[in-house]
Amino acid sequence: MAKNTGRQEARIPSKSTHPRRQILFSFVLLLVPLLGVSLILIIFVFYKQFHFVFPENGNRDLPTTYLNKSSDAYFTHLGIGKVTLVSSCASTATQFVLTPFMFLFSFVVARELSQPGLDHSDAKGVSRVTDWDDKTQDTFKGLLKGSWQDLLNWIYYEPLWRRKGGSFKPVHVAAFGALVSFALAILIVAGDNWVHLSVSEIQTMQYDDIWPLSNASLSSLSIIGNGNYESEGEGLNYGGSYITIGDCDSLLSAPLEPLASSDGVPCSLNTSNGLWNLAYSIDTFTTLFTGISDRTSAFDLVDPDMITDLIYTGEGTNDQVVTYNDTATGAEHAFYFNMLAPLSGLDFVANTTSMVTQCLPATGACQMRNNSQSGSSDLSIPFNCSRMFSGDLNKFPQDGLEQFRGWDSSFYFMQNGLPNNISVNSQLNPFTFNISAAVNSIDFQDLEDPTSDRLVLDKDVINAGNGRVAFALSCTSTVFDVSYSLVQGDITNFKAAPSDPRKASIIKAPLQVGFGRYSLFEQASLAVLLTANRSVADYMAISISQIGIALASGAFDNADNIQQRLWGDLYLTKVPKAPLWFLVICCLLYAALGLVFATIAFILRRRSEYAIVQEELLPQGDISIRGYLKAIFDRGLELDQASNHSTSN
């Protein structure tokens, strides 16, 4: 009787046995790492998130181009290392939270052991736990401490879960808690690895009218007012528009006279000293000889240092003539373009002036032929295009400033079906003209050879003798007012409308008086050699447009862009939504289960019979900081041993 009384007294829990602070301590140790990792990940992604937003100002002329835009991922300014570092903390946290989780769960196991008919002692006071074999007892204790090895023993090595006896139910309950904890830990580790594998750094565009540019990589630009930009320390104008200079205002505002008399000259010419000259001739000839570019796209790839050096040495200019093929009409436009405009992360909408020329072969219609006598040193290449344009290419032309053998041209206006000469200041758009040329070339038989890739059809080019070939063309040029958008170095939204004839006369006049003939003659020589790529007529058409625009460049000057914005390369961390939320949800689920079992522990600890059993299952020393650290250390040794065991096998 006294013996039984002693056991009853032992069942009276002391006030110090597993107080509330130890349950609270376990819950905090479980909650803080899991909830902290989840919150930090969410804050990292959303606080520093980059939103792909398109402008809402109706600006279709400057479309935004976002690289790597995706709706199934978040984009943040934080570096990829910070995101993966926080993600790794989730895997580390699983090592810390297992022991406090099992401590809270042990109250559920204690309740199971204290159920009627399944007490941990029988009527004779003999503990049923001690009736288990040693292996079962060791596995049971290991499960309560969250031992992965004992969980594997329960599942695989020693399938204790097959034992149906009611006395073994507490073992299965403890195994369930360990299994839930182990499964959540595996899911968190898998989520962490998923985040590591899927997160990446991407490059995209950033625009100053959408997002602050402090995070973008920009060239050295400063805003100088009125939306204009200049390079710091350089003072170069970045305007992409071109307008006529003030000297042209009186011409453009005067009444339109299509067939104007010869009094007065367009503003692209200068006759102040009584001689024909080009307006601002130094700049104009610089553009003619150094400013005709073969670039048609990717203007942002031009070397800015090279252009700047040429500008300051007087050997080049940033105002160049470029060519753009308008896909809507198929026309090739030659127009003024500021080569420095797209080099510093600047998109803009600009106005400029272009010239389009179309040429048709006229060699046969002009009755051009080789009239040289066999064996004679006197060469003759006569042609007769019309009553106003005929002659011999082996003789000097009758008019034009740049006169030499092998080139002649004539501008005319069709009236009553007949061509008529027009004055230099005539105001026509389009305007027509004929050209004839005799240039040195390769063996003519090579041009006529059907197997040659330089095949010339329909006798467009004739053998002029003495190693020369000749041809004639009938051409029509049109001057256009152009508006275009330059987006990331490429021309888009190209719009062209025919210019006022008075403006067209500014570009026609230098060509008509004979400027640029040497440049055109050089292009004629190349046109014959490059017939594999395009016909002589097509090659000369674009060359005439380029040279015509260059000769009139003195009458045009830079102007402000219509619209403009800065852009820069922006580097972001791409965090896919699926792995991020998978990891966060697993961490929060683990923390939520901890909250559930912490609540159950607070309720069950009030029952003395549960408290006594729970204290016997996990001694008070196991729930101290020292006890937790020891459990984590033991678990690390357990993993190392399991790894070494699998390696040896």
Side-chain angles (χ1 to χ4, degrees):
M1 192 70 167
K3 181 178 180 180
N4 291 338
T5 302
R7 293 186 61 85
Q8 292 294 333
E9 292 176 354
R11 286 180 175 273
I12 299 174
S14 63
K15 294 182 179 181
S16 63
T17 302
H18 300 299
R20 287 180 299 177
R21 70 172 184 273
Q22 293 172 326
I23 297 176
L24 182 61
F25 173 71
S26 298
F27 174 65
V28 170
L29 193 62
L30 171 70
L31 181 68
V32 170
L34 296 173
L35 188 60
V37 169
S38 302
L39 290 178
I40 293 175
L41 273 176
I42 293 174
I43 291 173
F44 271 15
V45 170
F46 288 97
Y47 179 70
K48 289 289 186 178
Q49 185 179 7
F50 179 85
H51 296 275
F52 287 95
V53 181
F54 289 87
E56 298 296 338
N57 55 7
N59 182 5
R60 298 181 179 180
D61 293 329
L62 289 178
T64 54
T65 302
Y66 287 117
L67 303 177
N68 300 301
K69 183 180 183 294
S70 175
S71 60
D72 59 355
Y74 299 109
F75 299 87
T76 175
H77 292 292
L78 290 175
I80 186 173
K82 294 181 180 178
V83 176
T84 55
L85 177 62
V86 177
S87 173
S88 299
C89 292
S91 296
T92 306
T94 59
Q95 299 294 321
F96 289 90
V97 302
L98 182 58
T99 300
F101 179 85
M102 291 307 301
F103 167 74
L104 298 174
F105 189 79
S106 66
F107 283 88
V108 179
V109 179
R111 179 183 179 280
E112 190 64 36
L113 280 171
S114 302
Q115 292 299 311
L118 193 61
D119 200 326
H120 71 306
S121 63
D122 59 12
K124 298 179 179 181
V126 179
S127 173
R128 291 184 179 275
V129 175
T130 58
D131 289 343
W132 297 337
D133 58 80
D134 293 340
K135 183 65 176 178
T136 303
Q137 293 186 47
D138 293 340
T139 300
F140 180 61
K141 295 177 181 178
L143 290 172
L144 290 174
K145 295 182 179 180
S147 171
W148 296 354
Q149 184 64 48
D150 288 303
L151 180 62
L152 293 177
N153 288 337
W154 179 78
I155 296 175
Y156 181 74
Y157 296 106
E158 295 286 342
L160 301 176
W161 51 272
R162 294 182 180 179
R163 302 185 182 184
K164 303 298 184 180
S167 60
F168 293 104
K169 190 174 181 180
V171 181
H172 305 332
V173 173
F176 173 76
L179 182 62
V180 169
S181 179
F182 177 76
L184 288 173
I186 291 296
L187 291 176
I188 290 175
V189 172
D192 174 32
N193 291 329
W194 191 6
V195 170
H196 274 70
L197 293 175
S198 60
V199 70
S200 61
E201 184 180 67
I202 60 105
Q203 177 184 353
T204 186
M205 298 294 108
Q206 188 174 5
Y207 302 95
D208 65 342
D209 55 351
I210 302 174
W211 197 272
L213 287 168
S214 58
N215 294 304
S217 174
L218 290 173
S219 299
S220 179
L221 287 180
S222 63
I223 301 178
I224 61 173
N226 298 326
N228 294 323
Y229 292 81
E230 68 174 7
S231 177
E232 293 181 355
E234 301 293 344
L236 296 174
N237 184 6
Y238 273 77
S241 293
Y242 288 85
I243 60 175
T244 54
I245 59 177
D247 295 345
C248 301
D249 291 346
S250 59
L251 168 67
L252 297 176
S253 60
L256 178 63
E257 299 181 60
L259 299 177
S261 64
S262 58
D263 296 336
V265 294
C267 54
S268 53
L269 297 175
N270 183 1
T271 58
S272 59
N273 58 0
L275 300 175
W276 290 103
N277 202 352
L278 292 170
Y280 300 94
S281 57
I282 296 178
D283 294 335
T284 301
F285 279 114
T286 300
T287 302
L288 176 63
F289 295 129
T290 68
I292 297 180
S293 174
D294 58 356
R295 187 171 290 276
T296 60
S297 61
F299 294 99
D300 56 330
L301 299 181
V302 177
D303 184 1
D305 294 331
M306 178 189 69
I307 294 178
T308 304
D309 291 342
L310 292 175
I311 292 173
Y312 286 109
T313 58
E315 299 175 355
T317 176
N318 59 300
D319 299 320
Q320 298 192 10
V321 178
V322 300
T323 305
Y324 177 76
N325 191 328
D326 185 3
T327 55
T329 62
E332 288 188 288
H333 292 256
F335 58 94
Y336 303 114
F337 186 83
N338 189 344
M339 280 296 186
L340 289 178
L343 302 181
S344 300
L346 182 66
D347 291 345
F348 59 83
V349 179
N351 288 334
T352 188
T353 300
S354 75
M355 179 175 175
V356 175
T357 302
Q358 294 178 318
C359 293
L360 296 175
T363 306
C366 290
Q367 305 174 37
M368 183 175 289
R369 62 191 184 279
N370 177 13
N371 204 30
S372 303
Q373 298 295 324
S374 177
S376 173
S377 59
D378 295 331
L379 302 178
S380 177
I381 313 172
F383 64 93
N384 184 13
C385 298
S386 66
R387 61 182 175 85
M388 50 159 288
F389 185 51
S390 60
D392 193 323
L393 286 175
N394 200 49
K395 298 178 180 180
F396 286 93
Q398 297 179 357
D399 55 12
L401 297 179
E402 299 176 4
Q403 297 185 1
F404 53 91
R405 292 187 179 95
W407 182 270
D408 202 355
S409 61
S410 175
F411 286 70
Y412 63 93
F413 176 75
M414 295 298 296
Q415 193 171 30
N416 298 324
L418 297 174
N420 292 273
N421 285 317
I422 56 177
S423 64
V424 172
N425 64 333
S426 58
Q427 299 167 349
L428 301 170
N429 192 31
F431 53 89
T432 54
F433 54 95
N434 288 329
I435 62 172
S436 58
V439 297
N440 294 326
S441 183
I442 57 177
D443 186 11
F444 184 74
Q445 279 71 26
D446 189 33
L447 289 175
E448 291 187 314
D449 184 0
T451 63
S452 172
D453 60 358
R454 291 187 294 269
L455 181 64
V456 178
L457 302 176
D458 300 329
K459 302 299 181 180
D460 295 344
V461 179
I462 65 168
N463 185 357
N466 201 26
R468 294 195 297 175
V469 296
F471 61 87
L473 299 174
S474 175
C475 302
T476 300
S477 292
T478 306
V479 177
F480 290 91
D481 293 328
V482 169
S483 173
Y484 68 93
S485 301
L486 189 79
V487 179
Q488 296 177 29
D490 287 327
I491 294 174
T492 63
N493 202 24
F494 191 88
K495 302 174 183 177
S499 301
D500 186 285
R502 288 166 290 193
K503 186 177 183 180
S505 68
I506 299 174
I507 296 177
K508 174 183 68 70
L511 284 171
Q512 186 174 353
V513 299
F515 284 110
R517 284 185 170 182
Y518 285 108
S519 298
L520 289 170
F521 183 76
E522 180 182 2
Q523 294 303 312
S525 300
L526 292 173
V528 173
L529 295 175
L530 299 177
T531 52
N533 298 321
R534 60 173 67 193
S535 68
V536 172
D538 290 341
Y539 189 94
M540 288 304 299
I542 187 59
S543 298
I544 292 168
S545 296
Q546 291 172 333
I547 293 172
I549 288 288
L551 289 172
S553 59
F556 291 84
D557 200 2
N558 292 101
D560 292 343
N561 296 322
I562 302 173
Q563 302 176 41
Q564 61 186 18
R565 68 164 176 225
L566 282 171
W567 63 269
D569 293 329
L570 179 65
Y571 296 91
L572 300 171
T573 298
K574 179 181 179 181
V575 185
K577 295 179 181 179
L580 172 68
W581 286 112
F582 178 83
L583 178 59
V584 170
I585 290 174
C586 288
C587 290
L588 294 179
L589 180 60
Y590 207 153
L593 287 177
L595 176 61
V596 171
F597 289 118
T599 303
I600 294 174
F602 271 113
I603 296 174
L604 295 181
R605 75 171 185 86
R606 300 176 181 176
R607 300 281 297 271
S608 60
E609 62 272 23
Y610 298 159
I612 290 294
V613 176
Q614 197 278 337
E615 184 178 3
E616 293 176 358
L617 293 177
L618 288 178
Q620 184 174 342
D622 289 349
I623 58 172
S624 63
I625 295 178
R626 183 176 181 180
Y628 283 146
L629 294 177
K630 180 179 182 301
I632 294 170
F633 178 75
D634 292 341
R635 189 170 297 110
L637 292 178
E638 180 183 303
L639 292 176
D640 291 340
Q641 292 173 358
S643 176
N644 294 334
H645 178 71
S646 61
T647 303
S648 61
N649 290 338

